[in-house]
Amino acid sequence: MLKKKVYFSPYITILMSFFIAILIGGGILSLPFVTLNGKGTDLIEGIFTATSAVCVTGLTVNDVSTTYNLIGKTIILVLIQLGGIGLITFSSLLILLISKEISYYTKKVVQEDINAETVFNIQKYIKKVIVTVLLIELIGAAVLFFEFIKKFKFLKAIYYSVFHSVSAFCNAGFSLFSDNLESFKGSMIINTVIPILIMVGGLGFSTIINVYKYLRKEDKRITTTSKITLKVTLGFVVFGAFFIFIFEHANVKTIGNYTFIEKIGAAFFQSVTTRTAGFNTMPLAGMKEITVLLFIFFMFIGASPGSTGGGIKTTTFGLIVLGVITIIKNKEYIEYNGRKISWTNFNRAISIVFISVCYIVTILFLLILLEPDVNVINLLFELVSAFGTAGVTRNLTPYLGNMSKILLIVTMFIGRVGPLTIVSALSLKKIKSGKHKYPEENILIG
């Protein structure tokens, strides 16, 4: 008797790849030979750091610069790179180098992993993604070298340049300095190169390649996805920089004592990095509550689809805005960039936001129970930072209990792979249309 074939979702493969990398990385990062004191760290600390690296978040429970030696820091760098590119994508490249061919199932998994529109010519797409990532990171490291050579010897300057370039492009936010990048608040190189790397990495591979091809006249048009991504990203950068400056320019606990140019630079820097990267050139613990709420909103939105960042994504936010405008104007279809956008896309966007909000509220309740002495706003800040893989922190994470740290580990994982990926992975059956169609009925709302 033939057994019924079980449908194995590509999403499960994506989840398992991240899960295995986290376990291996966490195990290694807790061993004595990777730490400066030769004593190792707690397993929870190791797994937390590995999760933060693979999920390109940047939240840490210890000071990376003073906890890990060169081996430990390099392992973190490798985990960041693998997490940024996508473990399945990197594995597929190795398969291509060896066998020159990958199966249709692997193509489908890669498509989901990097948000490609089709499996057609996925091999070329993988190669373009890898080459694009390495080239941008190399250029970033070359420019950063001119800043770090002022402080360090040649080889150390190279290492610091590569580490921070990879960390920035992958939107990880890991820094090899105890104060993150606060000591570089007056550096023109740091305040321009790091945000540019973050923005490019946060745009998504499909947008980067589409814009590049358009500029070379290989593509006839900027796709609707790319146009929404670019406009929403630019809008958030300008909007964020303006209001961060307005809210914090006189706050001596943050940028109040900076020069005018440093204030402008810090406001721009934080506007870019807050949504997904986690670097900071100003102290975050002393921010006003209105700025904290702005940061939480930015972190919730996050980066763009197919990018190295988390959050609900810029296109999700943009599509919901377009849908709401369409409803207000009483139009039949969502229209943008000379194209009609399906209401199915809008429904999917609403689903992502709904699932995300429900998850955050649930975990926040648990954190409040576990950490009754901690300010709720600070708990929400760290939680949304983990969910959006933003990594910005008000120095709360190291002082949380182990159960709270585990909740943040799970949140970073969900934030990186995406809530819908989790839901899709749990759905073991292919989508089927129902056998019956019921009469339609309206529900009163509003």
Side-chain angles (χ1 to χ4, degrees), residues 202-219:
L203 288 176
F205 301 125
S206 61
T207 297
I208 295 171
I209 292 172
N210 174 226
V211 171
Y212 175 74
K213 284 186 171 182
Y214 176 79
L215 293 175
R216 294 195 55 173
K217 301 185 188 280
E218 293 178 26
D219 278 354

Side-chain angles (χ1 to χ4, degrees), residues 16 72 98 107 113 141 187 208 236 288 292 369 394 420:
M16 289 305 297
I98 296 170
K107 291 178 183 179
D113 193 30
S187 168
I208 295 171
F236 272 123
K288 294 180 180 179
V292 173
L369 290 173
R394 305 194 80 194
L420 272 188

Side-chain angles (χ1 to χ4, degrees), residues 56-237:
V56 290
T57 304
L59 285 178
T60 56
V61 290
N62 49 42
D63 185 347
V64 171
S65 63
T66 57
T67 301
Y68 296 102
N69 58 24
L70 183 61
I71 297 173
K73 291 170 183 173
T74 303
I75 290 169
I76 291 172
L77 177 62
V78 171
L79 292 175
I80 291 171
Q81 187 70 90
L82 290 176
I85 293 176
L87 293 135
I88 300 297
T89 305
F90 185 78
S91 301
S92 300
L93 176 67
L94 295 180
I95 294 172
L96 280 173
L97 293 175
I98 296 170
S99 65
K100 306 297 182 183
E101 187 59 55
I102 55 177
S103 67
Y104 177 80
Y105 177 79
T106 303
K107 291 178 183 179
K108 190 67 180 172
V109 176
V110 172
Q111 179 194 9
E112 299 294 343
D113 193 30
I114 57 179
N115 249 354
E117 292 185 1
T118 176
V119 297
F120 180 72
N121 267 343
I122 198 74
Q123 295 99 316
K124 289 184 179 179
Y125 193 80
I126 292 170
K127 291 175 182 176
K128 284 180 181 177
V129 166
I130 300 294
V131 170
T132 300
V133 169
L134 296 180
L135 181 61
I136 293 172
E137 289 174 347
L138 181 62
I139 294 171
V143 181
L144 289 175
F145 174 79
F146 291 102
E147 181 63 40
F148 292 126
I149 194 62
K150 298 174 185 177
K151 289 180 175 284
F152 308 113
K153 292 182 179 179
F154 185 76
L155 290 179
K156 191 172 184 179
I158 290 177
Y159 185 83
Y160 271 57
S161 301
V162 171
F163 188 99
H164 288 88
S165 179
V166 172
S167 184
F169 179 79
C170 291
N171 285 207
F174 275 85
S175 175
L176 297 181
F177 301 98
S178 296
D179 64 351
N180 205 282
L181 296 176
E182 285 181 37
S183 58
F184 293 93
K185 62 181 182 292
S187 168
M188 184 62 71
I189 291 177
I190 294 297
N191 279 284
T192 52
V193 175
I194 295 292
I196 288 172
L197 287 169
I198 292 169
M199 282 192 287
V200 174
L203 288 176
F205 301 125
S206 61
T207 297
I208 295 171
I209 292 172
N210 174 226
V211 171
Y212 175 74
K213 284 186 171 182
Y214 176 79
L215 293 175
R216 294 195 55 173
K217 301 185 188 280
E218 293 178 26
D219 278 354
K220 295 181 179 179
R221 62 189 290 272
I222 299 289
T223 65
T224 303
T225 297
S226 298
K227 188 163 283 191
I228 293 176
T229 295
L230 292 168
K231 285 193 173 182
V232 174
T233 298
L234 180 61
F236 272 123
V237 170

Side-chain angles (χ1 to χ4, degrees), residues 362-426:
T362 302
I363 301 302
L364 180 61
F365 281 144
L366 293 175
L367 287 175
I368 292 172
L369 290 173
L370 292 168
E371 310 289 341
D373 298 327
V374 180
N375 183 286
V376 175
I377 291 294
N378 287 340
L379 284 175
L380 180 61
F381 189 91
E382 302 289 314
L383 175 59
V384 178
S385 180
F387 177 80
T389 69
V392 288
T393 178
R394 305 194 80 194
N395 300 322
L396 174 63
T397 303
Y399 304 103
L400 297 175
N402 283 342
M403 281 304 301
S404 298
K405 289 174 183 174
I406 290 171
L407 289 176
L408 290 185
I409 287 172
V410 174
T411 302
M412 288 189 287
F413 182 81
I414 291 174
R416 175 63 180 93
V417 299
L420 272 188
T421 300
I422 301 289
V423 173
S424 300
L426 295 175

